Amino acid sequence: FHSWGEYRLLEAAAWGWLLYRPAGWEVATYRGKIISTYHTFRWLWHETWWDANLAFTAEGQWGLWYCNVASPPAYENGVLHAQDLDLDVIWDRKRGIYVDDADELEQHTLAMSYPPDLVRRIWQSAREIEALMNARQFPFTDEPEKLTVAPLLQRWGL
């Protein structure tokens, strides 16, 4: 268990899902329950080994892109889920683009006997995310400083 939180479904399409969680909603994590301070839009693709979370501050300004390396999502019994695979690629306003939790991946690789092919897949996904961020390719096409939550909320009638 890594985290669990409710989202509002904005789009279910052939490519995957777009979800939204407003600031103020509760999220259960392995560290305990928290109240999200971000407006978060989350993309999950059917065949992609990562997801993308675009988070805005309570004031509506871009906060960060947070990408989990994770198994491709599955929708079962009304629940959309994916297995978090430790590594995260983050692009935040202060630190730029970086890979997080490599130490966690190393610990879990040993403790849970991750197969070598899975570890290669995890690192390959992290490099893919970094390359897309650096090249400003979808979904990272907009310059972060220009991103605000208001147009997205308006587009989706939120």
Side-chain angles (χ1 to χ4, degrees):
F1 172 75
H2 185 72
S3 67
W4 184 90
E6 289 190 21
Y7 286 84
R8 196 175 286 170
L9 177 65
L10 299 181
E11 186 175 342
W15 58 266
W17 300 269
L18 174 59
L19 310 172
Y20 169 70
R21 180 176 54 226
W25 281 21
E26 187 175 276
V27 179
T29 76
Y30 65 96
R31 294 179 180 145
K33 290 183 180 180
I34 61 168
I35 301 298
S36 175
T37 58
Y38 290 100
H39 296 274
T40 305
F41 291 83
R42 184 175 188 185
W43 287 261
L44 296 108
W45 296 271
H46 289 291
E47 301 300 323
T48 304
W49 283 72
W50 55 277
D51 62 41
N53 298 272
L54 175 57
F56 295 91
T57 65
E59 299 77 32
Q61 299 301 310
W62 176 73
L64 55 84
W65 278 101
Y66 192 101
C67 298
N68 298 292
V69 175
S71 65
Y75 185 77
E76 299 171 338
N77 301 319
V79 176
L80 182 62
H81 61 87
Q83 179 64 47
D84 186 282
L85 295 169
D86 306 317
L87 278 188
D88 304 303
V89 181
I90 301 168
W91 181 6
D92 79 23
R93 141 182 343 264
K94 295 176 186 167
R95 292 184 58 191
I97 299 170
Y98 62 96
V99 174
D100 195 31
D101 292 334
D103 57 335
E104 191 176 299
L105 173 60
E106 185 177 333
Q107 290 168 1
H108 289 165
T109 297
L110 295 172
M112 294 184 241
S113 302
Y114 286 4
D117 285 347
L118 177 61
V119 175
R120 278 192 292 280
R121 168 63 91 165
I122 292 168
W123 280 106
Q124 176 185 0
S125 294
R127 287 189 297 273
E128 176 185 335
I129 298 164
E130 280 185 298
L132 290 170
M133 287 177 171
N134 284 313
R136 305 298 191 265
Q137 292 182 333
F138 184 81
F140 314 106
T141 51
D142 294 315
E143 287 302 318
E145 295 76 19
K146 296 178 183 175
L147 284 171
T148 60
V149 74
L152 292 171
L153 294 176
Q154 185 177 24
R155 176 180 177 189
W156 294 101
L158 301 168

